[in-house]
Amino acid sequence: MPNDPADSEPNGPGPSAPDDRAGRARRITVQRRGPLLVEGPVEVELEDGTTVFSDRFRVALCTCRRSRRFPWCDTSHRRKG
């Protein structure tokens, strides 16, 4: 799965990689019926103040809140209901 929570660290990322893209713009792709696709690596701050991190080259962020792996999309938006 492209956005496995196992890629997350509960309190943010470890040391920065030498090719860290900090300071450069991130590309975010908006889809009508789907997640936000964000070029990684990314750090996401949740409502409760915790942060999760993924070092993947692209992550899908859930916008429908149906995902069991929120904030990562698990394609739950595809189910009817």
Side-chain angles (χ1 to χ4, degrees), residues 1-16:
M1 177 170 272
N3 296 303
D4 194 324
D7 295 337
S8 298
E9 295 180 24
N11 295 313
S16 296

Side-chain angles (χ1 to χ4, degrees), residues 9-79:
E9 295 180 24
N11 295 313
S16 296
D19 62 346
D20 190 279
R21 293 175 48 176
R24 293 168 89 190
R26 300 272 185 216
R27 179 178 303 266
I28 300 174
T29 306
V30 180
Q31 300 179 353
R32 180 179 291 238
R33 292 185 185 174
L36 292 175
L37 300 177
V38 182
E39 289 185 2
V42 299
E43 180 179 308
V44 179
E45 184 175 338
L46 303 175
E47 289 176 295
D48 65 2
T50 60
T51 57
V52 292
F53 178 79
S54 176
D55 61 358
R56 294 192 177 252
F57 71 95
R58 181 175 290 154
V59 296
L61 296 177
C62 177
T63 58
C64 70
R65 293 194 168 256
R66 292 180 190 158
S67 176
R68 286 181 263 174
R69 297 178 172 201
F70 188 81
W72 317 121
C73 179
D74 67 1
T75 69
S76 293
H77 60 273
R78 293 181 185 168
R79 287 187 228 125

